[in-house]
Amino acid sequence: MIINTIFYYFREAATSLIRNSWLTVASVGTIIISLLILGSSVLLVLNVREVASDLESSLEITVFLDDGLEQERLEQLEEEIKFVPGVSSVNFVTKEQALENLKESFGDKAELLSGLEKDNPLPNSYTVKTREANMVPSAARQLTELEGVDQVRYGQGVVENLLALTHWVRIWGTLALLVLGVAAVLLIATTIRMSVFARRREIGIMKMLGATNIFVRMPFMLEGMIIGLTGGFVAAVMIHFGYASLLNKVMISLPFIHLVDDSNSIYQVLGALLGAGFLIGTLGSAISLRRFLKV
Amino acid sequence: MIQLYNVSKTYQNKVQALNGITLHINKGEFVFLVGPSGAGKSTLTKLICREELPTHGQVIVNGRSLPRMKNRQVPYLRRKMGMVYQDFRLIPNKTVFENVAFALEIIGASRSEIRQAVPEALRMVGMEKKLNMRPYQLSGGEQQRTAVARAIVNNPALILADEPTGNLDPDTSWELMKLFMDINSLGTTILMATHAWDIVDEMKKRVVQLENGVIVRDEEGGVYGHDH
Ligand SMILES: Nc1ncnc2c1ncn2[C@@H]1O[C@H](COP(=O)(O)OP(=O)(O)OP(=O)(O)O)[C@@H](O)[C@H]1O
Ligand SMILES: [Mg+2]
């Protein structure tokens, strides 16, 4: 009956796993390592994206003005700035205010700046916000063209750098994953091959007795699946606890950094790890059986 | 039950093991396959259980053409035949009971079927008292009887035996032959390749003699040969 058969598959798979315990451990270990890399890179990419979009939404453009513009020109300029596509708000900042702001940001070292009031080197400026973060670069470019504008500044580089980081994380993560994934698949294939080899006489007897291909192969497929799922499970548990403790630490020591912490996304990552482990195990078995178990 | 028409078999290494064999075996027959070493006896049995395919000719078992049979149907063909070999082919870490039960587990039999059929088969071969022993604890004859129990446990229509007495002493060989006769008397067809001329001579069954891949003799109530 089916129940007996399933029981038989699991018993045989377990026997093989125990018989080749060292290879089993090595295969599970390789899967854990590759999936840890997969999990951490995915989480890193997700987080960098989150941080980048946080940063982007707080991005402002500062438009420094030429010295000595007439009040009339200033008012006209404000209108012109409002007409630049994407601009949502414009705020005039006088040079005095700019110095105040600077002093504030220096905090208790503000006295370093004393004496500057007499000959304030800071220009008047406009603080411009855009409706969307990605409108910042083009708006900034157009603002530079305006008459009376000296310089235009925005968080140049920060966002780009972060996005470039995710780019590299993705490339290296994928590469490492590929190499380790292939190693894991091959190691499982070897494990299964050893199992097939250890049981080749039994396989011959089974075929003589009229066992179907599925019956002969199933315990070996199961063996790979168990290895893969075990590796996936351990990696998922490690990522789960590791990430939880990271969130905790960041929350305490770097409260202004906001990491991905919705359980939905995290469980998706963990589920993907389990799935990837299963896939690696199944693939390893399938490759091995194709090559070494002609039935 | 078995029909071979003009069957030839050439192995990959260009050895021609069989050459134009035509042979019919009816249901319930007991047939000895004799001939010198390398004559093609084992090759013939392998063609019948589709372990090998003929290079030329037609092999029909139970009305089905084996060359045309799809690979995935082969298991079902083998479930209708029991195989017995010189080297017993028992699984070492299984008990006598488990070895016989294995043949049923493989075809998906239920526990109750197994509990019923296995002791019956073991009784038939006289192994019912040793069902918890493992192969290494058994004599050659006992191992072979276990193998026979496994071969008959799902009531096959045909027993293919390739030198089943090859590793047995004369007395034990005779016990096995008595067992085969019992099984045959219940209607099971038996094809047995053998070098045991005394058994063949004594039993007066149909004898098919192969030499260099051709049938040189096929007679009812025959003897092993005239030159031993
Ligand atoms: N798998 C194989 N590959 C190549 N040649 C083979 C193979 N099996 C058998 N042969 C060759 O085919 C010929 C017939 O072999 P077979 O085993 O059928 O003889 P046999 O009659 O069973 O001999 P024996 O009495 O020694 O068992 C021999 O020459 C053998 O070397
Ligand atoms: Mg032979």
Side-chain angles (χ1 to χ4, degrees):
Chain A
M1 246 191 39
I2 292 172
I3 304 287
N4 283 340
T5 307
I6 292 172
F7 183 72
Y8 162 84
Y9 291 155
F10 274 96
R11 198 183 56 210
E12 298 301 299
T15 310
S16 278
L17 286 169
I18 292 165
R19 176 166 25 209
N20 303 324
S21 49
W22 280 110
L23 261 175
T24 304
V25 169
S27 317
V28 172
T30 317
I31 294 182
I32 292 174
I33 293 170
S34 29
L35 293 184
L36 282 180
I37 289 181
L38 172 67
S40 353
S41 356
V42 168
L43 282 172
L44 190 58
V45 167
L46 285 181
N47 275 304
V48 169
R49 259 203 234 146
E50 177 100 350
V51 170
S53 75
D54 271 0
L55 274 177
E56 277 176 334
S57 61
S58 67
L59 271 188
E60 303 174 325
I61 306 171
T62 309
V63 181
F64 295 108
L65 304 177
D66 291 337
D67 257 348
L69 289 179
E70 317 256 323
Q71 185 62 26
E72 207 177 320
R73 176 70 196 129
L74 284 177
E75 278 160 24
Q76 204 188 342
L77 196 55
E78 182 162 343
E79 288 310 306
E80 288 174 11
I81 291 174
K82 278 182 185 160
F83 269 104
V84 169
V87 169
S88 60
S89 76
V90 183
N91 249 324
F92 186 60
V93 181
T94 61
K95 52 199 307 174
E96 291 78 23
Q97 232 174 311
L99 188 59
E100 273 313 300
N101 294 347
L102 192 62
K103 278 185 179 170
E104 225 165 86
S105 68
F106 269 58
D108 53 2
K109 300 207 171 64
E111 70 267 17
L112 290 174
L113 298 172
S114 64
L116 280 180
E117 289 93 340
K118 255 178 275 154
D119 192 11
N120 188 348
L122 299 176
N124 291 322
S125 63
Y126 280 108
T127 302
V128 176
K129 283 192 173 163
T130 57
R131 265 180 278 116
E132 304 274 340
N134 60 9
M135 294 169 173
V136 167
S138 72
R141 220 176 306 116
Q142 294 186 51
L143 290 169
T144 326
E145 308 288 307
L146 298 177
E147 177 93 37
V149 170
D150 178 29
Q151 255 188 3
V152 172
R153 278 279 164 80
Y154 63 98
Q156 257 151 338
V158 179
V159 171
E160 282 80 353
N161 284 341
L162 272 175
L163 293 178
L165 178 64
T166 60
H167 180 70
W168 287 111
V169 166
R170 249 183 246 165
I171 288 181
W172 287 106
T174 310
L175 219 66
L177 185 72
L178 273 181
V179 171
L180 278 161
V182 168
V185 167
L186 291 182
L187 208 57
I188 289 180
T190 309
T191 310
I192 303 302
R193 182 186 167 183
M194 299 294 281
S195 303
V196 170
F197 189 73
R199 322 185 75 147
R200 64 200 180 287
R201 255 182 65 88
E202 223 171 305
I203 291 169
I205 292 170
M206 288 164 78
K207 288 200 245 172
M208 168 186 100
L209 295 174
T212 56
N213 282 353
I214 290 179
F215 192 90
V216 174
R217 284 174 175 215
M218 206 46 157
F220 299 110
M221 284 306 287
L222 214 56
E223 197 181 333
M225 290 173 187
I226 290 172
I227 291 175
L229 276 178
T230 309
F233 180 77
V234 173
V237 167
M238 287 170 81
I239 291 272
H240 176 73
F241 286 112
Y243 192 65
S245 93
L246 178 77
L247 280 182
N248 221 0
K249 281 194 189 116
V250 166
M251 201 132 64
I252 290 166
S253 52
L254 306 163
F256 47 88
I257 292 186
H258 171 241
L259 295 183
V260 175
D261 62 354
D262 69 301
S263 46
N264 229 358
S265 323
I266 295 172
Y267 282 131
Q268 262 173 26
V269 172
L270 299 184
L273 292 185
L274 210 58
F278 180 77
L279 210 72
I280 292 174
T282 311
L283 201 64
S285 291
I287 288 173
S288 198
L289 292 183
R290 258 187 94 86
R291 288 198 51 197
F292 302 110
L293 188 60
K294 302 254 186 290
V295 284
Chain B
M1 148 150 277
I2 300 171
Q3 289 106 29
L4 290 90
Y5 296 99
N6 197 21
V7 169
S8 298
K9 173 68 187 177
T10 307
Y11 284 108
Q12 252 120 4
N13 59 1
K14 307 250 157 61
V15 173
Q16 182 158 37
L18 294 175
N19 189 3
I21 299 281
T22 295
L23 176 67
H24 292 226
I25 295 173
N26 293 320
K27 194 167 164 32
E29 273 195 280
F30 195 131
V31 181
F32 284 118
L33 202 53
V34 302
S37 189
K41 305 183 291 296
S42 297
T43 303
L44 188 59
T45 62
K46 283 177 187 165
L47 288 176
I48 292 167
C49 65
R50 206 176 177 279
E51 206 178 312
E52 296 285 353
L53 281 169
T55 321
H56 291 293
Q58 181 63 283
V59 180
I60 292 171
V61 175
N62 289 329
R64 308 214 36 192
S65 158
L66 301 198
R68 271 200 237 132
M69 181 178 271
K70 296 212 170 69
N71 281 331
R72 64 186 151 77
Q73 288 170 323
V74 173
Y76 304 97
L77 169 80
R78 296 203 182 136
R79 291 174 190 188
K80 297 204 182 75
M81 42 180 81
M83 266 87 98
V84 182
Y85 295 95
Q86 181 173 359
D87 56 358
F88 319 135
R89 302 200 187 176
L90 298 174
I91 295 172
N93 53 3
K94 285 190 193 291
T95 64
V96 166
F97 184 95
E98 288 165 347
N99 263 288
V100 177
F102 195 47
L104 293 174
E105 283 174 5
I106 277 174
I107 64 176
S110 71
R111 255 162 218 268
S112 63
E113 285 174 88
I114 290 173
R115 268 199 297 270
Q116 202 224 323
V118 174
E120 213 170 89
L122 287 173
R123 234 185 334 271
M124 175 101 193
V125 303
M127 285 295 292
E128 72 272 22
K129 297 224 172 65
K130 309 211 160 158
L131 40 101
N132 288 319
M133 304 256 242
R134 284 170 210 278
Y136 67 88
Q137 298 167 312
L138 302 173
S139 72
E142 288 167 336
Q143 290 187 53
Q144 194 59 298
R145 277 189 279 154
T146 306
V148 172
R150 181 181 61 187
I152 61 173
V153 73
N154 53 4
N155 296 313
L158 168 70
I159 298 268
L160 281 180
D162 194 352
E163 295 186 44
T165 62
N167 278 328
L168 304 180
D169 63 56
D171 286 350
T172 320
S173 298
W174 272 112
E175 276 172 36
L176 183 70
M177 293 323 297
K178 285 194 193 100
L179 183 55
F180 273 6
M181 290 212 286
D182 289 346
I183 294 168
N184 179 239
S185 71
L186 296 174
T188 305
T189 312
I190 296 186
L191 176 62
M192 171 170 156
T194 187
H195 288 291
W197 55 268
D198 51 333
I199 287 174
V200 177
D201 288 353
E202 185 82 17
M203 288 189 39
K204 307 253 181 324
K205 297 289 187 188
R206 179 174 168 194
V207 175
V208 174
Q209 185 174 350
L210 283 175
E211 246 161 61
N212 291 324
V214 287
I215 295 178
V216 296
R217 179 166 64 107
D218 183 352
E219 60 181 349
E220 286 294 339
V223 292
Y224 183 83
H226 307 287
D227 48 356
H228 54 265

